[in-house]
Every structure is written in structure tokens, then in C-alpha cells.
Amino acid sequence: MLRRWGILVNDLIVNLSRLKPFEEFNVGELEALFRKNGSWLEHYSMGEIIKHRGDKCNALLLLLKGKVSTEMQDTEGKRVVLEKIEAPSILASAILFSSEPTMPVDIVASDKTVMLSMKKELILELCMTKEKFLRGLLKDMGDRVTLLAKKVYFFSLNSLKEKLSQYLLEKAAGKSELTLEITKDELASFFGVTRPSLSRAFSELAKEGMIIQEGKRVKLINKNALRKLGERE
């Protein structure tokens, strides 16, 4: 049983099979991908930058172990965490085939991370020879376009309370409770507001009986009211 960096490659294969382009692959086909020319495994330590903003994107990035964050610098030079992503996940699939394939954000390892990179030429080969791969890749890209549209709508909301209500509903994913994955400072930077402004928005939602906040845990007491707040034009 093959180990690299103390990690069973079998565990990586299981995570690879959970990604949409590889869901219909059998174990033998998945194992072969790790030995293909144009694919390679890379290991990153927590805090290490995997890709810099502006780097050329010439390979599909498959996060098979650990967590990463996408980050940018704001106008004051502060690091702003845009998104936290857990394995297994595909990074920058649409960018790979864009007319200007450069990374729009920094990708930073927020845990011990293993990435499988697959060159664009290999991806094109798989698209032409494996219809099931092509279907899965297109499905993944379509889902990302839908998610991007939701994010555009989210940032078009007027008030901070509206944005916060939508953010909490999205992160709760249908549940009545969630744990904030980022700090209040990071969340304030994400919204482009000050920490006190964000705290006031949380306090107002709590005062109006929509949420109860206990540290990083947030209980959604009145989800209907939160939805209506986020639906205001």
C-alpha cells in the first residue's frame, strides 16, 4: 500500500472519486491517473501559498486532502479571506480554459494539504477519450456558474443586515444552527465593512429575534424572517 508524506494514496483515490468528473471511474482508472504523464501530487504546509494571484493556470487543481482559503489584499494591504474550501474539491476549473488563464486570487493552504495537479493537455485528452469525465467536468463548471450568480446577487443586496442574513442562511445549508468558519475580522473584511459595523448587524438580528449568537455558534431562530430580509429589493 503506497504512502507519500505519511498519507495513504488509497485515501486520496477515495477523495478523487468524490469529485464530479471522476464519479463514474472505477478504482483501476483512478489509480492510473496518479501515474499518468502530466499529473503530479504536491504537498503543502499550513500557511504556504499554493498559487499567487496572477500566476498562470495551466493545470487543473484537485484538492484531495486538507483545506485551503482563497485570499486577496484590500486597498489597505490587509489580507481578505474570500472563501474557505475543504477537500475534496476542484479549484479553478473554468479559469483553465479561459482566454486569460491566470489566477484571480491567492490560494493558501490553511492545513496540511495535498493537491493533485493535471496539465491542461491531459484534461483535454480525458475530455476526448472519456465521455463520463467530460460530463462530470461540465457539470462542475455549470454548478460554479450558478454559485457565482448567487454571489453576484448576494453582493447586490443593499444593507449589511441583508447580506448577513443571506450569508448565514447559505452557510447553515438548511439547518437551524451553524458555526462560523472565519473570525469576525475576516467576515468584516469579506463584507467590506468595519468590525463594529458587523457586530451591530449581528446585534440587530439578535434583537429582532432572528438569531441567537454564542461565540462562533449561531442559531437561526426565525429563518423565514431572515429569508424575507435577504429578498428585499
Side-chain angles (χ1 to χ4, degrees), residues 22-37:
F22 306 98
E23 287 175 340
E24 298 181 41
F25 281 56
N26 60 45
V27 173
E29 289 174 312
L30 293 170
E31 288 178 344
L33 289 173
F34 285 84
R35 298 189 295 271
K36 275 267 192 183
N37 287 332

Side-chain angles (χ1 to χ4, degrees), residues 5-6 12 50-51 96 101 110 116 129 161 189 194:
W5 309 295
L12 302 182
I50 297 170
K51 288 289 182 182
L96 181 63
S110 46
L116 176 65
T129 59
K161 279 174 61 179
S189 293
T194 63

Side-chain angles (χ1 to χ4, degrees), residues 11-96:
D11 295 339
L12 302 182
I13 289 172
V14 169
N15 276 349
L16 182 61
S17 71
R18 292 173 178 160
L19 298 174
K20 292 183 181 72
F22 306 98
E23 287 175 340
E24 298 181 41
F25 281 56
N26 60 45
V27 173
E29 289 174 312
L30 293 170
E31 288 178 344
L33 289 173
F34 285 84
R35 298 189 295 271
K36 275 267 192 183
N37 287 332
S39 71
W40 64 95
L41 284 170
E42 294 179 310
H43 176 264
Y44 298 92
S45 302
M46 185 172 66
E48 192 172 353
I49 296 180
I50 297 170
K51 288 289 182 182
H52 289 87
R53 182 172 182 266
D55 282 353
K56 283 287 184 182
C57 182
N58 54 14
L60 189 66
L61 306 178
L62 308 172
L63 177 62
L64 299 185
K65 187 81 173 180
K67 303 175 185 177
V68 301
S69 61
T70 58
E71 302 181 8
M72 291 184 74
Q73 283 192 347
D74 64 15
T75 54
E76 297 178 354
K78 294 180 181 177
R79 303 293 300 178
V80 178
V81 176
L82 303 175
E83 187 178 11
K84 292 198 173 183
I85 304 169
E86 293 188 16
S89 187
I90 300 176
L91 309 179
S93 57
I95 295 169
L96 181 63

Side-chain angles (χ1 to χ4, degrees), residues 74-184:
D74 64 15
T75 54
E76 297 178 354
K78 294 180 181 177
R79 303 293 300 178
V80 178
V81 176
L82 303 175
E83 187 178 11
K84 292 198 173 183
I85 304 169
E86 293 188 16
S89 187
I90 300 176
L91 309 179
S93 57
I95 295 169
L96 181 63
F97 296 100
S98 70
S99 57
E100 295 183 14
T102 56
M103 296 302 302
V105 295
D106 293 334
I107 299 177
V108 183
S110 46
D111 199 351
K112 290 182 179 179
T113 297
V114 178
M115 192 84 69
L116 176 65
S117 296
M118 302 180 73
K119 279 192 174 181
K120 184 176 181 179
E121 291 77 12
L122 176 55
I123 298 302
L124 290 171
E125 177 189 327
L126 289 171
C127 287
M128 291 186 287
T129 59
K130 304 277 189 183
E131 183 182 337
K132 56 190 177 183
F133 174 84
L134 178 59
R135 285 197 308 268
L137 184 62
L138 291 175
K139 183 179 179 182
D140 180 78
M141 289 180 174
D143 289 345
R144 291 177 190 279
V145 170
T146 301
L147 180 61
L148 178 60
K150 289 180 178 178
K151 288 186 176 181
V152 170
Y153 167 75
F154 170 77
F155 281 104
S156 72
L157 296 172
N158 295 322
S159 74
L160 178 56
K161 279 174 61 179
E162 291 170 0
K163 292 177 181 177
L164 181 57
S165 66
Q166 285 296 98
Y167 178 87
L168 294 175
L169 286 168
E170 180 184 323
K171 292 300 180 183
K175 298 178 182 178
S176 296
E177 186 174 322
L178 70 143
T179 300
L180 295 175
E181 298 175 346
I182 57 179
T183 67
K184 283 281 187 71

